[in-house]
Structures are given as C-alpha cells and as structure tokens.
Amino acid sequence: MMNTPKELKYSSDHEWVKIDGDVAYIGVSDFAQSQLGDVVFVEIPDEGREIKAGETFSVIESVKAVSDIIAPVSGKIVKVNDALGDTPELINQDPYGDAWIVAVELSDVSELDALLDGDAYEKLTAEGGH
C-alpha cells in the first residue's frame, strides 16, 4: 500500500504540498518515487525564483526516466533543499520528510482548493495514476 499522509494536499501530477502558514513545502509523492525507481539526480531550482502553478520547476532523473516536477501552486521559492543535490536517493527513502524539494511563499492561497486531499489522491493512484 502506498503511503499517503492525509494532512497533505496532492496534485494529479503526483506532487505533495504541506502548508506551514503562508509557505508551501513541495515534494513528490510515494507513488511517484515508486514509479520512478532509484533516483540519481534532482535539479535544485534557484531560491528567489517565481514559479507558477502548472509549470515545470525541477527535474528528477531516475535509472528509468527523467521526470518534470510541476508546480502545484504559484509563489516565490523561499527555500530549497540542497541536501537533494548530494543525496537524491532521499526521494526514495523519505518522500514526505527529508525529501521536500522547495518551500514556496504562496501568492494565491485559493490555488490550494484545486488540489486533492489524501483520499482523492489515493483513489487516483489506485486507478493507475492519471
């Protein structure tokens, strides 16, 4: 069974969002990392960059594939997880913990309403992922 923490929000592109005040931490879901296989590289975006919901802000490479990471929300990147540069396998080991990719200062909180809750995301992945 996939691990899908209920307190997080999810996008249909398999990113998760954890809200901390007006900051959203973004990573990839357990389902995504299991589909990718062993992660060998994570592109760390620049701090201070503005991202828009729906655009690619990072790339993850695994032994099987190269995957675009799509922003689930818009805002300014206020923190990046540099640890992923040295230890990209954190994505496989701890997708919801140490393997967050960026923290974004939300520019439009209402975008969160478009995201899936844990139950809806679980249903999506049970149906084969898209």
Side-chain angles (χ1 to χ4, degrees):
M1 189 64 195
M2 287 296 145
N3 178 11
T4 308
K6 298 291 189 235
E7 70 277 10
L8 302 177
K9 297 273 200 190
Y10 299 87
S11 74
S12 55
D13 299 306
H14 309 295
E15 286 79 29
W16 57 260
V17 176
K18 178 179 159 197
I19 303 305
D20 183 8
D22 61 352
V23 172
Y25 286 80
I26 301 169
V28 297
S29 72
D30 191 29
F31 177 83
Q33 72 80 17
S34 70
Q35 297 288 304
L36 281 165
D38 292 339
V39 173
V40 294
F41 173 77
V42 180
E43 179 191 43
I44 310 293
D46 292 330
E47 223 169 277
R49 176 175 155 194
E50 297 279 345
I51 59 175
K52 284 194 172 47
E55 78 174 27
T56 299
F57 71 91
S58 173
V59 174
I60 290 180
E61 285 179 29
S62 73
V63 289
K64 293 200 291 200
V66 176
S67 259
D68 288 344
I69 307 306
I70 312 291
V73 291
S74 304
K76 185 167 112 184
I77 297 175
V78 289
K79 234 178 356 187
V80 297
N81 188 353
D82 287 322
L84 292 176
D86 297 325
T87 45
E89 63 273 15
L90 285 172
I91 298 271
N92 299 120
Q93 294 162 0
D94 193 9
Y96 299 114
D98 289 338
W100 59 276
I101 300 171
V102 293
V104 172
E105 199 169 45
L106 293 166
S107 58
D108 182 359
V109 178
S110 71
E111 288 177 343
L112 296 171
D113 299 338
L115 298 175
L116 304 168
D117 64 17
D119 291 331
Y121 182 69
E122 246 170 24
K123 190 165 176 271
L124 175 83
T125 56
E127 290 162 0
H130 251 310

